[in-house]
Amino acid sequence: MKTWLYLPLLLLVGFITPSCKKTYNEVVIPNQTILVDAKTSDWVYSSIDQTYNFAVSVPELNNVNQLDGVIVSMARFQANSNATPQEFEMLPQVFANQSYNVLHDNANVFVQIKGINGVASAPPPTTVRIKIVLIPSAQ
């Protein structure tokens, strides 16, 4: 007799459970990638703060707000090689006693090299590829 009391409950669970379905609302916002090659001669020395600076015009930054992300990375070419670099390292970072920093405003990205621990700053000995990724954020 007790089994007859549970039968309607089991049937109700059997019909409701399969009809429950979790839905996901995903919003995909595409990022924008900009690649720039900086030759050794493109770096400008500043005697004021003893740094080497490279500036690249990025008009796409005009549409970036404070909530968006700007990621800058750099790849080094092998000496005497024309092969495209495959590994990028995010900036800021320290490499070979040189500190690499990044700043940007609404039109330019600036990469700055400064020597650490008393080492004089020096531009990269080969061309470097700078990768700028603009990541919009939806709030």
Side-chain angles (χ1 to χ4, degrees):
M1 181 101 165
K2 289 183 182 180
T3 55
W4 291 105
L5 293 173
Y6 293 118
L7 185 62
L9 182 62
L10 287 173
L11 289 174
L12 185 63
V13 169
F15 285 113
I16 293 176
T17 305
S19 65
C20 294
K21 188 168 133 182
K22 191 171 189 176
T23 59
Y24 297 95
N25 293 329
E26 293 183 18
V27 177
V28 177
I29 301 173
N31 61 18
Q32 191 168 7
T33 302
I34 300 152
L35 294 172
V36 179
D37 288 341
K39 299 177 193 133
T40 304
S41 60
D42 293 337
W43 296 87
V44 178
Y45 182 73
S46 170
S47 60
I48 297 170
D49 55 0
Q50 300 175 347
T51 60
Y52 279 91
N53 300 288
F54 176 76
V56 59
S57 175
V58 183
E60 295 86 354
L61 282 170
N62 195 23
N63 298 327
V64 173
N65 64 45
Q66 270 188 325
L67 299 175
D68 294 342
V70 178
I71 299 173
V72 180
S73 57
M74 188 174 79
R76 294 169 185 79
F77 288 91
Q78 296 295 327
N80 302 320
S81 172
N82 292 331
T84 304
Q86 299 298 317
E87 295 178 354
F88 287 86
E89 301 171 14
M90 282 186 38
L91 301 181
Q93 70 160 320
V94 175
F95 178 78
N97 286 328
Q98 302 290 319
S99 171
Y100 293 80
N101 295 308
V102 177
L103 298 168
H104 71 85
D105 59 18
N106 61 353
N108 300 293
V109 170
F110 306 96
V111 179
Q112 183 182 65
I113 301 174
K114 183 171 184 146
I116 61 169
N117 298 328
V119 175
S121 59
T126 62
T127 300
V128 294
R129 178 161 290 166
I130 297 173
K131 180 179 183 181
I132 303 163
V133 181
L134 307 176
I135 305 172
S137 174
Q139 291 297 322

